[in-house]
Amino acid sequence: MAVEQANLCTPQDAAVVRTLRVFRDPHVDRELEPATVLIIITKHVMSSPSLNFQTQISGLILSLSFSGQRNMSNSVIEVPPKGGFSFDLCKRNEMLAKKGVNPPSFRKTGTTIVGLVFQDGVILGADTRATEGPIVCDKNCEKIHYMAPNIYCCGAGTAADTEAVTDMVSSQLQLHRYHTGRESRVVTALTLLKRHLFNYQGHVSAALVLGGVDVTGPHLHTIYPHGSTDTLPFATMGSGSLAAMAVFESKYKEGLTRNEGIELVTEAICSGIFNDLGSGSNVDVCVITKGGKEYLRNHLQPNPRTYTNSKGYSFPKKTEVLLTKIIPLKEKVEIIEGGDAMEE
Amino acid sequence: MVKQQANWSPYDNNGGSCVAIAGADYCVIAADTRMSTGYNILTREYSKICKLADKCVMASSGFQADVKALQKQLAARHLIYQHQHNKQMSCPAMAQLLSNTLYYKRFFPYYSFNVLGGLDNEGKGCVFTYDAVGSYEKVGYSSQGSGSTLITPFLDNQLKSPSPLLLPVQDAVTPLVEAEAIDLVKTVFASASERDIYTGDKIEIVVVNATGIRREYMELRKD
């Protein structure tokens, strides 16, 4: 029977086929009844909440041909190995998009984030604008996230993704610190982040600039949403990365002092703020050295509000009352005096 | 094989916002001066406002190439009108002309969102608001462009007549004085540029009144 020819398009299909195999009694040379197969498939689909009914059932049943050819020789089903990535929901999303049901847009930090290595450590910088499409949803958000006392991470991309991934790895680092009794290393954070991002094959849209100082020295890395990393003396990410990189490439040199480094980072972020529409508002800077860290929130605020009316505006209630009608509520319960007392 | 969609579009959106407010004897038309494409700024000093006739000014946002073509078209037709009638076009006449010009290209529209402002034959302020294919309406105030969703609710709150359901029918033209209207426009653009990434750099404010046409500028956020 043509279960063998089933279209094994997803691991979920494979799981169903495996279940079917179990039901085939190898000692009795008899094929499975079509009805039995249907029951098994339906049961499998119903019990698993993450399956997409349509593609599963249609995909499998179309390829199961109950055309009465019962005398086919037994052939081994090719089953993909267990485990691996499950992309069912991605297929479902594609199917929905084709039908015109688009996924909700998420808030991205169309962003400029930078990092550079200077004499005594690393300096990270970021702008503070979060956008939802063409609208600014947060004029002063924090893009430099805490990972460890000596490690900070800037995040660009989907705001929820950068927050979640940095919080998660920060917790893992803390547990690791308790286990080992040592200060966290930047490469540990790097490996934890890149493993997580690679696992999600780029669907976790977080582009990060990770910097810190540990026992082995100062480190600066970039991490891309698909999980690749670079180790660099200076780095930029986000929609404003080209504007910021232009500044870095012109003015960076090795062995910068602290003030020179902060000035260069500020200049690069400003370049992103003014030339990229996805970045804006203020500049945040974070300086990490062997001695400690300095988080300069809103280090520069080059965009004050341009005009405020001195007199202000009043907002009178504008809804017009066209008609007033009062209907008193009727008494639904009649109260009877002196009834019997309630019994236990 | 899935049917291939076009991956080239003849249109682009250069962003920006425009506003116009009509008063008893003046009309204020304002637009920001930023021209952008995607996430980039093309220029910080582009004028979206065009003088069509003596007492008639148009501000347009959308695709500036189409806007330029539209302005040229209207200027040419206005010249012909002047030769034929020996006078300038009035604002309501220009409003109708603009509507017809836009509808002429109903099936390959000008990607241009316009507001027309000026004085009518009696010297009262008038504002006409358009969609991309020429549907228009005489209103007391209007806003178009990327920041319009942020600007219109505020203008509705400050300028709108109490209710169109009440009698006698209130005149759409605002009772505000010219200086107050300009103040309102500045506030509205400052707020829009805080939250809309395509609005910013500078505002160009044009005031049309009995003495003529006056132009002023105000700085906005540049990020």
Side-chain angles (χ1 to χ4, degrees), chain B residues 50 52 56-60 66-67 69-75 77-78 89-105 110 112-117 128-137:
Chain B
C50 173
L52 297 174
C56 187
V57 171
M58 176 175 84
S60 319
D66 272 356
V67 167
L70 180 64
Q71 287 168 354
K72 282 174 90 169
Q73 181 80 314
L74 292 172
R77 295 286 280 108
H78 185 225
M89 267 176 111
S90 66
C91 199
M94 186 58 87
Q96 185 65 55
L97 175 64
L98 175 54
S99 170
N100 290 343
T101 313
L102 290 169
Y103 197 78
Y104 201 69
K105 293 230 314 149
Y110 289 107
S112 159
F113 300 99
N114 313 295
V115 285
L116 194 75
F128 297 90
T129 186
Y130 293 80
D131 72 352
V133 282
S135 157
Y136 80 112
E137 189 190 356

Side-chain angles (χ1 to χ4, degrees), chain A residues 1-5 24 26 28-32 68-77:
Chain A
M1 118 140 147
V3 173
E4 283 84 343
Q5 290 149 21
R24 279 182 64 199
V28 181
D29 193 17
R30 182 170 56 86
E31 303 288 4
L32 276 175
Q69 291 173 11
R70 304 266 178 128
N71 298 329
M72 281 171 52
S73 54
N74 295 346
S75 47
V76 180
I77 303 166

Side-chain angles (χ1 to χ4, degrees), chain A residues 50-123:
Chain A
S50 66
L51 284 178
N52 175 341
F53 287 77
Q54 273 182 296
T55 52
Q56 290 307 307
I57 295 183
S58 61
L60 239 147
I61 289 184
L62 280 176
S63 58
L64 290 168
S65 50
F66 301 113
S67 56
Q69 291 173 11
R70 304 266 178 128
N71 298 329
M72 281 171 52
S73 54
N74 295 346
S75 47
V76 180
I77 303 166
E78 302 259 328
V79 176
K82 286 186 203 179
F85 311 127
S86 169
F87 292 103
D88 317 318
L89 290 180
C90 298
K91 288 187 69 175
R92 155 192 167 262
N93 289 342
E94 275 166 32
M95 186 269 297
L96 284 174
K98 251 182 259 170
K99 298 234 165 108
V101 179
N102 288 315
S105 72
F106 19 76
R107 183 216 271 194
K108 305 192 104 216
T109 54
T111 289
T112 311
I113 49 173
V114 304
L116 61 69
V117 176
F118 74 111
Q119 223 170 46
D120 309 319
V122 298
I123 306 180

Side-chain angles (χ1 to χ4, degrees), chain B residues 108-161:
Chain B
F108 182 17
Y110 289 107
Y111 191 144
S112 159
F113 300 99
N114 313 295
V115 285
L116 194 75
L119 302 178
D120 62 13
N121 290 318
E122 288 131 36
K124 225 169 86 168
C126 60
V127 167
F128 297 90
T129 186
Y130 293 80
D131 72 352
V133 282
S135 157
Y136 80 112
E137 189 190 356
K138 179 166 189 286
V139 286
Y141 61 90
S142 162
S143 128
Q144 293 277 4
S146 59
S148 66
T149 47
L150 297 165
I151 296 173
T152 308
F154 184 68
L155 291 180
D156 281 346
N157 182 279
Q158 296 293 312
L159 298 176
K160 201 175 182 80
S161 49

Side-chain angles (χ1 to χ4, degrees), chain A residues 129 134-137 139 273-274 276-278 280-281 303 305-307 309 313-315 318 320 322, chain B residues 34 39 41 44 157-158 160 162-163 165 183-184 187 191 194-198 219-223:
Chain A
R129 172 182 281 183
I135 303 293
V136 175
C137 57
K139 291 190 274 192
I273 285 175
F274 291 115
D276 175 42
L277 296 176
S281 297
N303 288 301
R305 191 186 160 91
T306 41
Y307 183 81
N309 189 353
Y313 289 95
S314 65
F315 297 94
K318 283 281 191 159
E320 280 304 319
L322 296 173
Chain B
R34 172 179 283 175
Y39 272 137
I41 298 178
R44 298 192 194 269
N157 182 279
Q158 296 293 312
K160 201 175 182 80
S163 171
L165 298 171
D183 210 49
L184 187 62
T187 309
S191 307
E194 296 272 320
R195 291 286 177 176
D196 178 28
I197 61 178
Y198 297 116
E219 295 292 324
L220 285 180
R221 280 174 78 116
K222 306 213 176 310
D223 65 352

